[in-house]
Amino acid sequence: MRRTPIWGRRSGAGGVRRNGATVVAVLLTGALALAGCAKDSGGGGTNNAQGQGCQLSAPPAGAAPTTSGNEQQQPAPQAAGMRVGLAFDIGGRGDASFNDASVAGLDRAKAQMGFSDIKELDAGAGEPEDAKQTRLRQLAREGYNPVIAVGYSYADSIKMVAPEFPGTKFAIIDEDVQGIPNVTSLVFAEEQGSFLVGVIAAHRSKNCHVGFVGGVKTPLIEKFEAGYVAGAKAAAPDIKIESKYLSPAGDFSGFQDPNRGSEVATSQLESGADVIYHAAGASGKGVFSSVKSSNAQAIGVDSDQYNQPTVAEYKDVIISSMLKRVDFAVYDYIAAVARNDLSTLPKKFDLGIDGVGYSTSGGKITELVPTVDAYKAAIARGDIKVSDKP
C-alpha cells in the first residue's frame, strides 16, 4: 500500500504527434460514449468545424476513490538546528516553474520547522558535469544536511558525491537513483497531471487544434507530452496536436531560451493551434508572450503560473497549469529527515496523493472542474492507465 505523504494534501482544483505514434490505451470501467452537448456545459462539444470546437467524449462515470491523500495533517516537526542545502537546476529562483516550486517547499519547511540556515547554489548555463559535483560537495563539506539536488541533471553527480559523504542525507528530484543508501529519489507521475490539462485544452480549443512545447527532448519531458496528448485525445479523439522541442537531449538550453519558445509557439499558433501547453522551464515565458500576442490560450507547468509574479503580465491568457507538487515533495522530505523516518515518503508523487494535478486560479475553467475531476478520479482508481511515453 502506498504511504500517504507527511502533510495534508489539497485536491487539485488542481505535439504534432508523429504519424504512427501510439496513443495511450484508456481503460474505463464504463464505456466512453461520444456526447454532443453544448460546449458551455463543460461536458460536450459543438461541431468539429474551424472555430466551433471539438466533438467531445463524455467524461468517465464512477465515484471517486474511497481513500485519498487528504488525511489529517501531522504537526510539523521542530528542527531549529537543521541546515538545508539546495542545488538549483538551470534557472534558479525566479523561473516561475520547477525551481520556484522547490523554493516554495523549502520556504514552508523553514517557516514551520524553525530552522534558519539554508544555502542555495545556482547552476550555470552549459556548465560541465564537475560543476554540479562541486556544488554538491560544497554543501556537504559545509555541513548542510540534507542536501537537495533539484533536477535529473544531477543524477550522475549525486551518484559520485553521495558515497563520499555517508553521514549526509541527499535527495534528488526527478531521477530514480537506486542502490545508494543516503540518497532519496523524489519522482512524480507527470503524465497523469498532463493528461488532465490535455482534457482542459480539448474543451477550451475553438479550432480543435492544440500545441505542446517541450524544453529538452528527454524521457522526463516526454512524459508531459505523452500525458497531454493522451488527455486531449481521450476528450476529443479527432483533435489535432502540434508538438515541438526546443533542444535535443543533452542540450539544456531549451529550458532557458524564451526567444526560441516564442518562435516555436508562434509557429504552432500560425498553424491553427489556439491552446498551447509548455513544459519548457524559463522558456515558457516566450510561449506565454506569443500566446498573448495572438489572443490565444496557454497552460502553464509545475507551479500555478497564473500566480507567479515573474509571468504576471501573461496571467490573462493562462487558463490553468499542470501542478507538479515539487513543493510537497521538498517539504515532505525535509520533514521526514527531521523525524528521522524516510519510510513515510511515497514511492511516487501521483494523482492518488495529489502529487500532481491542475490549477483553477483566475476562474477560467470553473465549469470544467466536474469533468476534469471525473478523469482525475478514473486515473486515481486505475480505470484510466496513462502511458509515460509518447
PDB file of all heavy atoms in Angstrom, residues 304-321:
ATOM      1  N   ASP A 304       1.683  26.967 -10.114  1.00  0.00           N
ATOM      2  CA  ASP A 304       0.483  27.660 -10.582  1.00  0.00           C
ATOM      3  C   ASP A 304       0.945  28.970 -11.211  1.00  0.00           C
ATOM      4  O   ASP A 304       1.103  29.984 -10.542  1.00  0.00           O
ATOM      5  CB  ASP A 304      -0.454  27.915  -9.404  1.00  0.00           C
ATOM      6  CG  ASP A 304      -1.768  28.552  -9.830  1.00  0.00           C
ATOM      7  OD1 ASP A 304      -1.894  28.935 -11.010  1.00  0.00           O
ATOM      8  OD2 ASP A 304      -2.663  28.683  -8.971  1.00  0.00           O
ATOM      9  N   GLN A 305       1.185  28.951 -12.518  1.00  0.00           N
ATOM     10  CA  GLN A 305       1.846  30.079 -13.160  1.00  0.00           C
ATOM     11  C   GLN A 305       0.955  31.312 -13.268  1.00  0.00           C
ATOM     12  O   GLN A 305       1.454  32.423 -13.431  1.00  0.00           O
ATOM     13  CB  GLN A 305       2.402  29.655 -14.519  1.00  0.00           C
ATOM     14  CG  GLN A 305       3.504  28.591 -14.377  1.00  0.00           C
ATOM     15  CD  GLN A 305       4.412  28.482 -15.564  1.00  0.00           C
ATOM     16  OE1 GLN A 305       4.000  28.019 -16.621  1.00  0.00           O
ATOM     17  NE2 GLN A 305       5.661  28.892 -15.404  1.00  0.00           N
ATOM     18  N   TYR A 306      -0.337  31.154 -13.112  1.00  0.00           N
ATOM     19  CA  TYR A 306      -1.229  32.309 -13.061  1.00  0.00           C
ATOM     20  C   TYR A 306      -0.845  33.225 -11.898  1.00  0.00           C
ATOM     21  O   TYR A 306      -0.978  34.447 -11.984  1.00  0.00           O
ATOM     22  CB  TYR A 306      -2.679  31.848 -12.896  1.00  0.00           C
ATOM     23  CG  TYR A 306      -3.687  32.975 -12.826  1.00  0.00           C
ATOM     24  CD1 TYR A 306      -4.281  33.475 -13.987  1.00  0.00           C
ATOM     25  CD2 TYR A 306      -4.059  33.538 -11.603  1.00  0.00           C
ATOM     26  CE1 TYR A 306      -5.209  34.513 -13.927  1.00  0.00           C
ATOM     27  CE2 TYR A 306      -4.987  34.568 -11.539  1.00  0.00           C
ATOM     28  CZ  TYR A 306      -5.551  35.048 -12.702  1.00  0.00           C
ATOM     29  OH  TYR A 306      -6.465  36.080 -12.637  1.00  0.00           O
ATOM     30  N   ASN A 307      -0.337  32.641 -10.828  1.00  0.00           N
ATOM     31  CA  ASN A 307       0.003  33.394  -9.619  1.00  0.00           C
ATOM     32  C   ASN A 307       1.485  33.686  -9.473  1.00  0.00           C
ATOM     33  O   ASN A 307       1.915  34.171  -8.429  1.00  0.00           O
ATOM     34  CB  ASN A 307      -0.486  32.640  -8.373  1.00  0.00           C
ATOM     35  CG  ASN A 307      -1.997  32.656  -8.254  1.00  0.00           C
ATOM     36  OD1 ASN A 307      -2.638  33.661  -8.534  1.00  0.00           O
ATOM     37  ND2 ASN A 307      -2.578  31.535  -7.853  1.00  0.00           N
ATOM     38  N   GLN A 308       2.297  33.399 -10.512  1.00  0.00           N
ATOM     39  CA  GLN A 308       3.733  33.626 -10.419  1.00  0.00           C
ATOM     40  C   GLN A 308       4.074  35.064 -10.826  1.00  0.00           C
ATOM     41  O   GLN A 308       3.757  35.497 -11.944  1.00  0.00           O
ATOM     42  CB  GLN A 308       4.487  32.650 -11.317  1.00  0.00           C
ATOM     43  CG  GLN A 308       4.503  31.224 -10.802  1.00  0.00           C
ATOM     44  CD  GLN A 308       5.322  31.089  -9.536  1.00  0.00           C
ATOM     45  OE1 GLN A 308       6.382  31.667  -9.401  1.00  0.00           O
ATOM     46  NE2 GLN A 308       4.814  30.308  -8.599  1.00  0.00           N
ATOM     47  N   PRO A 309       4.708  35.842  -9.946  1.00  0.00           N
ATOM     48  CA  PRO A 309       4.987  37.252 -10.247  1.00  0.00           C
ATOM     49  C   PRO A 309       5.814  37.457 -11.517  1.00  0.00           C
ATOM     50  O   PRO A 309       5.608  38.437 -12.236  1.00  0.00           O
ATOM     51  CB  PRO A 309       5.748  37.738  -9.010  1.00  0.00           C
ATOM     52  CG  PRO A 309       5.331  36.819  -7.913  1.00  0.00           C
ATOM     53  CD  PRO A 309       5.122  35.483  -8.568  1.00  0.00           C
ATOM     54  N   THR A 310       6.743  36.542 -11.814  1.00  0.00           N
ATOM     55  CA  THR A 310       7.632  36.760 -12.953  1.00  0.00           C
ATOM     56  C   THR A 310       6.950  36.572 -14.298  1.00  0.00           C
ATOM     57  O   THR A 310       7.523  36.920 -15.335  1.00  0.00           O
ATOM     58  CB  THR A 310       8.860  35.828 -12.869  1.00  0.00           C
ATOM     59  OG1 THR A 310       8.419  34.474 -12.770  1.00  0.00           O
ATOM     60  CG2 THR A 310       9.725  36.163 -11.663  1.00  0.00           C
ATOM     61  N   VAL A 311       5.730  36.019 -14.306  1.00  0.00           N
ATOM     62  CA  VAL A 311       4.967  35.919 -15.561  1.00  0.00           C
ATOM     63  C   VAL A 311       3.597  36.579 -15.401  1.00  0.00           C
ATOM     64  O   VAL A 311       2.656  36.271 -16.135  1.00  0.00           O
ATOM     65  CB  VAL A 311       4.808  34.447 -16.025  1.00  0.00           C
ATOM     66  CG1 VAL A 311       6.146  33.893 -16.476  1.00  0.00           C
ATOM     67  CG2 VAL A 311       4.206  33.574 -14.936  1.00  0.00           C
ATOM     68  N   ALA A 312       3.503  37.519 -14.467  1.00  0.00           N
ATOM     69  CA  ALA A 312       2.213  38.155 -14.167  1.00  0.00           C
ATOM     70  C   ALA A 312       1.623  38.869 -15.376  1.00  0.00           C
ATOM     71  O   ALA A 312       0.399  38.949 -15.515  1.00  0.00           O
ATOM     72  CB  ALA A 312       2.376  39.129 -12.996  1.00  0.00           C
ATOM     73  N   GLU A 313       2.462  39.372 -16.260  1.00  0.00           N
ATOM     74  CA  GLU A 313       1.945  40.112 -17.413  1.00  0.00           C
ATOM     75  C   GLU A 313       1.188  39.217 -18.397  1.00  0.00           C
ATOM     76  O   GLU A 313       0.478  39.711 -19.289  1.00  0.00           O
ATOM     77  CB  GLU A 313       3.087  40.808 -18.142  1.00  0.00           C
ATOM     78  CG  GLU A 313       4.128  39.874 -18.746  1.00  0.00           C
ATOM     79  CD  GLU A 313       5.329  40.617 -19.306  1.00  0.00           C
ATOM     80  OE1 GLU A 313       5.130  41.417 -20.248  1.00  0.00           O
ATOM     81  OE2 GLU A 313       6.438  40.412 -18.790  1.00  0.00           O
ATOM     82  N   TYR A 314       1.309  37.900 -18.226  1.00  0.00           N
ATOM     83  CA  TYR A 314       0.648  36.966 -19.133  1.00  0.00           C
ATOM     84  C   TYR A 314      -0.518  36.226 -18.469  1.00  0.00           C
ATOM     85  O   TYR A 314      -1.111  35.336 -19.081  1.00  0.00           O
ATOM     86  CB  TYR A 314       1.654  35.932 -19.652  1.00  0.00           C
ATOM     87  CG  TYR A 314       2.907  36.541 -20.222  1.00  0.00           C
ATOM     88  CD1 TYR A 314       4.155  36.273 -19.670  1.00  0.00           C
ATOM     89  CD2 TYR A 314       2.846  37.411 -21.308  1.00  0.00           C
ATOM     90  CE1 TYR A 314       5.304  36.849 -20.185  1.00  0.00           C
ATOM     91  CE2 TYR A 314       3.994  37.991 -21.839  1.00  0.00           C
ATOM     92  CZ  TYR A 314       5.222  37.696 -21.267  1.00  0.00           C
ATOM     93  OH  TYR A 314       6.368  38.283 -21.780  1.00  0.00           O
ATOM     94  N   LYS A 315      -0.860  36.591 -17.244  1.00  0.00           N
ATOM     95  CA  LYS A 315      -1.832  35.804 -16.488  1.00  0.00           C
ATOM     96  C   LYS A 315      -3.203  35.764 -17.152  1.00  0.00           C
ATOM     97  O   LYS A 315      -3.965  34.812 -16.961  1.00  0.00           O
ATOM     98  CB  LYS A 315      -1.939  36.321 -15.058  1.00  0.00           C
ATOM     99  CG  LYS A 315      -2.517  37.703 -14.916  1.00  0.00           C
ATOM    100  CD  LYS A 315      -2.368  38.229 -13.492  1.00  0.00           C
ATOM    101  CE  LYS A 315      -3.015  37.352 -12.452  1.00  0.00           C
ATOM    102  NZ  LYS A 315      -2.891  37.894 -11.089  1.00  0.00           N
ATOM    103  N   ASP A 316      -3.521  36.771 -17.953  1.00  0.00           N
ATOM    104  CA  ASP A 316      -4.846  36.795 -18.570  1.00  0.00           C
ATOM    105  C   ASP A 316      -5.024  35.708 -19.621  1.00  0.00           C
ATOM    106  O   ASP A 316      -6.158  35.392 -19.998  1.00  0.00           O
ATOM    107  CB  ASP A 316      -5.134  38.175 -19.177  1.00  0.00           C
ATOM    108  CG  ASP A 316      -4.083  38.620 -20.185  1.00  0.00           C
ATOM    109  OD1 ASP A 316      -2.910  38.242 -20.008  1.00  0.00           O
ATOM    110  OD2 ASP A 316      -4.438  39.346 -21.133  1.00  0.00           O
ATOM    111  N   VAL A 317      -3.923  35.103 -20.117  1.00  0.00           N
ATOM    112  CA  VAL A 317      -4.059  34.027 -21.102  1.00  0.00           C
ATOM    113  C   VAL A 317      -3.762  32.652 -20.501  1.00  0.00           C
ATOM    114  O   VAL A 317      -3.897  31.643 -21.188  1.00  0.00           O
ATOM    115  CB  VAL A 317      -3.152  34.258 -22.336  1.00  0.00           C
ATOM    116  CG1 VAL A 317      -3.519  35.565 -23.024  1.00  0.00           C
ATOM    117  CG2 VAL A 317      -1.676  34.213 -21.980  1.00  0.00           C
ATOM    118  N   ILE A 318      -3.362  32.591 -19.242  1.00  0.00           N
ATOM    119  CA  ILE A 318      -3.060  31.311 -18.588  1.00  0.00           C
ATOM    120  C   ILE A 318      -4.353  30.767 -17.986  1.00  0.00           C
ATOM    121  O   ILE A 318      -4.844  31.266 -16.983  1.00  0.00           O
ATOM    122  CB  ILE A 318      -1.979  31.466 -17.512  1.00  0.00           C
ATOM    123  CG1 ILE A 318      -0.692  32.010 -18.129  1.00  0.00           C
ATOM    124  CG2 ILE A 318      -1.710  30.123 -16.819  1.00  0.00           C
ATOM    125  CD1 ILE A 318       0.390  32.360 -17.112  1.00  0.00           C
ATOM    126  N   ILE A 319      -4.914  29.740 -18.629  1.00  0.00           N
ATOM    127  CA  ILE A 319      -6.208  29.225 -18.175  1.00  0.00           C
ATOM    128  C   ILE A 319      -6.060  28.166 -17.087  1.00  0.00           C
ATOM    129  O   ILE A 319      -6.988  27.916 -16.320  1.00  0.00           O
ATOM    130  CB  ILE A 319      -7.022  28.666 -19.350  1.00  0.00           C
ATOM    131  CG1 ILE A 319      -6.288  27.525 -20.061  1.00  0.00           C
ATOM    132  CG2 ILE A 319      -7.370  29.778 -20.333  1.00  0.00           C
ATOM    133  CD1 ILE A 319      -7.129  26.824 -21.126  1.00  0.00           C
ATOM    134  N   SER A 320      -4.913  27.534 -17.001  1.00  0.00           N
ATOM    135  CA  SER A 320      -4.647  26.527 -15.976  1.00  0.00           C
ATOM    136  C   SER A 320      -3.153  26.227 -16.009  1.00  0.00           C
ATOM    137  O   SER A 320      -2.433  26.693 -16.900  1.00  0.00           O
ATOM    138  CB  SER A 320      -5.450  25.245 -16.240  1.00  0.00           C
ATOM    139  OG  SER A 320      -5.242  24.292 -15.211  1.00  0.00           O
ATOM    140  N   SER A 321      -2.690  25.474 -15.034  1.00  0.00           N
ATOM    141  CA  SER A 321      -1.310  24.966 -15.026  1.00  0.00           C
ATOM    142  C   SER A 321      -1.337  23.524 -14.542  1.00  0.00           C
ATOM    143  O   SER A 321      -2.149  23.160 -13.683  1.00  0.00           O
ATOM    144  CB  SER A 321      -0.415  25.783 -14.085  1.00  0.00           C
ATOM    145  OG  SER A 321      -0.264  27.111 -14.513  1.00  0.00           O
TER     146      SER A 321
END
